[in-house]
Amino acid sequence: MLSGIGVYFQREGELDRYTYRFHGAGCCVEKDGITCDYDYSVNNISFSLWKFKQFIMTHPKYKNENLSDNYLEIELYHLIEQGKLSWMTWGGTIWKVYEYII
C-alpha cells in the first residue's frame, strides 16, 4: 500500500466533486459519470484495454464513437512506438497492460 492511503486519503471518498475508491493496486475516479480506473505503483500508472475502453464509453464526447478494440489497440500501440507508453514487464514477462512511467 502506498503511504498516503489511509493517512492523507480515505480508501473511498470525495474530493472537489470527484469520487474515488482505492482498490488492490489501483484507484477508480469518477466525475459527472465519467470513470477512470487505473493501477499504480511508485514509478508508473498502468491500465488494460478494458479499463481504457470503460473511460471512453463513459465519456460523453467519445461514448457514441463506437471505437473497436482493434482500433484502440492500434492507437495505443502508436503511443508505445512514440515512447509515451510501454508494455508492462514484470518477472521477465511482458503483459498486455499499458504502462506510463512517471
Side-chain angles (χ1 to χ4, degrees):
M1 180 182 337
L2 294 181
S3 62
I5 301 171
V7 177
Y8 301 111
F9 297 101
Q10 297 301 313
R11 292 204 64 79
E12 295 183 21
E14 187 170 332
L15 184 64
D16 295 332
R17 297 186 353 226
Y18 290 86
T19 59
Y20 65 88
R21 180 178 50 85
F22 291 102
H23 57 79
C27 185
C28 182
V29 179
E30 296 181 29
K31 182 180 180 203
D32 300 330
I34 301 170
T35 301
C36 180
D37 194 347
Y38 59 92
D39 294 327
Y40 58 88
S41 70
V42 174
N43 297 318
N44 69 42
I45 296 171
S46 59
F47 58 92
S48 64
L49 179 63
W50 183 86
K51 288 180 178 184
F52 187 62
K53 192 158 187 179
Q54 294 304 303
F55 169 74
I56 291 170
M57 291 173 36
T58 60
H59 196 291
K61 184 175 178 180
Y62 304 110
K63 69 180 179 181
N64 295 322
E65 294 291 320
N66 198 22
L67 303 172
S68 71
D69 288 358
N70 188 51
Y71 174 82
L72 294 173
E73 285 179 325
I74 290 169
E75 293 302 310
L76 288 167
Y77 187 72
H78 289 312
L79 294 174
I80 290 172
E81 289 179 320
Q82 295 169 15
K84 295 178 182 177
L85 290 178
S86 62
W87 293 116
M88 183 172 73
T89 304
W90 186 56
T93 302
I94 297 172
W95 298 87
K96 199 166 185 182
V97 173
Y98 304 94
E99 182 175 65
Y100 174 75
I101 306 295
I102 301 171

